[in-house]
Amino acid sequence: MEALQQEYQAVPSHLKKYFRPGAILCPRPAIESDLILGQSRMGGRPDLPPDHKWPEYENKHQVFIAQINLEELEGWAVPMGLPKSGHLFFFHDQDMSWQLGPKQENCPLVLYSSVPAKNLSRAEFPDDLRDEDKRRLCSLGIHCLQLQAPPWSQLYETFDSSNKDDVAVFKKYREDCIEYVSGALHRSDEDGERPWHVLGGFADIVQDPVESECVSYFSDLSEEEQDEMTMKESLAFEEQQDKAARDWLLLFQCDYDSIADTCWYDMGKLFYMIRQQDLASLAFDQTVAIIESH
């Protein structure tokens, strides 16, 4: 990892805008008694602060997805736009809704707490959670590194450099990063299954760019109204949507994973997205959750 970090420093500064810091999360089956209070995990029971109850939506308790101890990011939290300490807790509704967020009233998806780990307490499973909603408990291996913008991102599409040496350094880091990630995600017991759970970085989409889906989530225009636009109006609308999409960042991605017992319809993925300005103000109640599936 240290060698990879040094290699990233050699990437020309004008090309570093094509990267974002992220943390790859590698779940491993765990026993609850082996995990200390506040330790990062997926599934099982969350360690909630005194002022937070297990969140509900539409009179049903939500499914606990993951908790992240930000101190375990070892200095990477702040570059990712997160507080350097505290915990993030991720939840989703029992019905696996395709889109959830601020438009749904009283639908807390992401909780942040600055309470020290020693003051947390392990919550009991609510009675209305089905067995399949009690996700398998996994500890998390955390690998922090700079992740490159994928080909479908608007950021990637702006890539332009005429300096061959710069491009060579850029590609070398990218290739070594991919090799490192492949090793970090190696799962001999699953014969090639390499789920992509990540905090920060970029969304590994299944269908459409999830940033655009977040913009559509807030749009007041129906498809019929968009179809009735003139060509000029349509082009202006698309430009406006593209600009708005650039504000959205990936907060957390939860992949299909047989070990962590996470399944989003047909081997899909769950994305927690947040606007840059909301992340800066720690307004996690503005997070939008999107499920994409095959």
Side-chain angles (χ1 to χ4, degrees):
M1 172 65 83
E2 185 176 347
L4 195 61
Q5 292 175 359
Q6 292 176 351
E7 192 172 334
Y8 177 73
Q9 295 307 315
V11 174
S13 57
H14 67 282
L15 295 181
K16 287 183 178 177
K17 63 182 179 180
Y18 301 107
F19 295 86
R20 285 180 191 158
I24 301 165
L25 309 177
C26 303
R28 294 291 182 269
I31 300 173
E32 187 175 76
S33 58
D34 291 341
L35 299 185
I36 63 174
L37 205 61
Q39 183 175 339
S40 296
R41 72 193 60 173
M42 289 178 65
R45 298 185 294 158
D47 299 328
L48 295 176
D51 58 341
H52 284 78
K53 295 181 179 179
W54 195 302
E56 300 179 32
Y57 174 57
E58 293 188 339
N59 299 316
K60 292 190 291 187
H61 286 90
Q62 296 196 61
V63 179
F64 170 62
I65 307 300
Q67 76 179 34
I68 304 296
N69 183 335
L70 297 175
E71 291 185 4
E72 293 180 26
L73 299 180
E74 298 182 343
W76 284 74
V78 173
M80 291 167 65
L82 298 167
K84 64 180 180 180
S85 61
H87 292 78
L88 287 176
F89 304 89
F90 295 89
F91 294 84
H92 203 267
D93 74 323
Q94 293 188 31
D95 299 323
M96 290 202 305
S97 300
W98 293 96
Q99 295 185 344
L100 284 175
K103 288 177 66 176
Q104 284 79 25
E105 293 185 9
N106 301 318
C107 183
L109 297 169
V110 182
L111 307 178
Y112 167 70
S113 172
S114 59
V115 172
K118 65 180 181 180
N119 295 334
L120 303 177
S121 58
R122 198 147 291 167
E124 296 295 334
F125 280 122
D127 293 336
D128 63 338
L129 276 188
R130 303 163 297 185
D131 288 341
E132 59 264 35
D133 292 330
K134 301 173 183 178
R135 300 299 170 87
R136 186 175 300 140
L137 173 62
C138 290
S139 61
L140 290 175
I142 300 178
H143 305 267
C144 298
L145 66 166
Q146 295 287 342
L147 299 173
Q148 184 199 350
W152 53 81
S153 75
Q154 293 169 313
L155 189 62
Y156 185 93
E157 292 172 357
T158 64
F159 181 82
D160 181 28
S161 179
S162 57
N163 188 316
K164 292 183 179 181
D165 292 336
D166 287 354
V167 174
V169 174
F170 177 91
K171 289 184 176 180
K172 178 67 166 56
Y173 172 79
R174 180 183 61 188
E175 291 167 359
D176 289 349
C177 184
I178 291 172
E179 183 178 350
Y180 174 84
V181 169
S182 297
L185 299 182
H186 180 62
R187 304 246 292 238
S188 58
D189 55 336
E190 286 299 301
D191 191 26
E193 181 186 308
R194 291 177 178 174
W196 186 251
H197 308 289
V198 63
L199 188 76
F202 295 89
D204 184 26
I205 63 174
V206 180
Q207 298 286 351
D208 301 314
V210 70
E211 296 86 351
S212 299
E213 291 195 50
C214 291
V215 175
S216 296
Y217 168 82
F218 283 105
S219 178
D220 294 326
L221 289 177
S222 65
E223 291 185 7
E224 291 76 12
E225 289 174 316
Q226 294 179 40
D227 290 339
E228 293 175 358
M229 289 181 177
T230 65
M231 180 64 74
K232 183 178 180 179
E233 290 172 336
S234 181
L235 290 174
F237 178 74
E238 289 180 9
E239 183 178 348
Q240 182 185 45
Q241 298 291 89
D242 288 343
K243 182 179 180 180
R246 294 175 184 270
D247 287 337
W248 286 93
L249 301 173
L250 177 67
L251 182 58
F252 172 52
Q253 173 180 306
C254 183
D255 204 344
Y256 164 79
D257 189 342
S258 60
I259 284 184
D261 192 27
T262 53
C263 182
W264 312 105
Y265 296 102
D266 184 12
M267 300 182 69
K269 299 177 183 182
L270 170 61
F271 305 93
Y272 291 84
M273 306 293 295
I274 190 168
R275 282 174 289 211
Q276 297 183 50
Q277 59 268 34
D278 293 326
L279 180 60
S281 60
L282 304 185
F284 293 107
D285 59 337
Q286 297 301 303
T287 301
V288 172
I290 304 287
I291 292 177
E292 287 191 346
S293 181
H294 295 280

